[in-house]
Amino acid sequence: MTEQHAHQFERGTDGPKVIVVGVDGSDSSMRAAAYATGLARRQNALLALVYVQPVLAAGAALGAPVAVATDEVAEDLVAQIRAATERVKGIFDLRWEFHTFRGDPYSGLVKAADELKADAVVVGASEQAGHRIIGSVAIRLVKAGRWPVTVVP
């Protein structure tokens, strides 16, 4: 007697399940978030929006309220994201989370992608001229070779 296994057709399950996008309020990061939102919606993936709060060396800020300022950036980003999701509620279904990590942008995004078990990372192209010489966060993420990385101009 031969045992037959029913072959089940798999539809749309090969794409990413978790897409991490780095956001910092810059125009390029907001375009990256919009692009990643479309990817997540079409793939029915979780969109993990990640803001990496800069950490300055002790004494570097000389009393400047850096933590308060970066907390305000994070709160503003969450408010913008919530407003955007409310505008498309009932039109598009999207699962999303907002995460804040501390550190430099590269290390923060690597930690986020690892902890959130990212299948893909989306970032905006660097808007800083110096990055052409020393390397942008995007280039460093690509060189890490641990996830597919999409760089949005």
Side-chain angles (χ1 to χ4, degrees):
M1 183 153 120
T2 354
E3 190 176 324
Q4 288 186 332
H5 296 282
H7 177 66
Q8 289 190 343
F9 180 74
E10 215 176 65
R11 182 190 309 239
T13 58
D14 290 337
K17 296 297 176 212
V18 178
I19 298 172
V20 166
V21 60
V23 292
D24 62 8
S26 67
D27 288 344
S28 69
S29 82
M30 298 314 270
R31 286 190 297 271
Y35 181 85
T37 298
L39 286 177
R41 181 184 58 78
R42 287 186 298 278
Q43 296 287 340
N44 194 29
L46 172 67
L47 178 65
L49 298 118
V50 174
Y51 170 60
V52 180
Q53 289 184 313
V55 175
L56 297 179
L62 298 176
V66 174
V68 173
T70 59
D71 285 343
E72 288 172 3
V73 170
E75 289 168 17
D76 183 53
L77 288 169
V78 170
Q80 288 180 51
I81 293 161
R82 282 204 175 106
T85 56
E86 281 300 313
R87 286 193 297 270
V88 298
K89 197 172 192 172
I91 301 168
F92 298 120
D93 288 326
L94 179 69
R95 294 179 303 126
W96 65 276
E97 300 173 349
F98 184 86
H99 299 271
T100 302
F101 286 80
R102 294 189 185 274
D104 67 276
Y106 170 75
S107 298
L109 285 172
V110 166
K111 183 175 181 181
D114 283 345
E115 286 185 16
L116 299 170
K117 296 180 177 38
D119 296 301
V121 177
V122 179
V123 292
S126 175
E127 296 178 350
Q128 296 179 2
H131 285 173
R132 290 188 189 104
I133 299 165
I134 60 170
S136 68
V137 171
I139 290 170
R140 292 174 66 196
L141 287 168
V142 169
K143 286 182 177 180
R146 292 163 59 184
W147 324 267
V149 177
T150 301
V151 182
V152 177

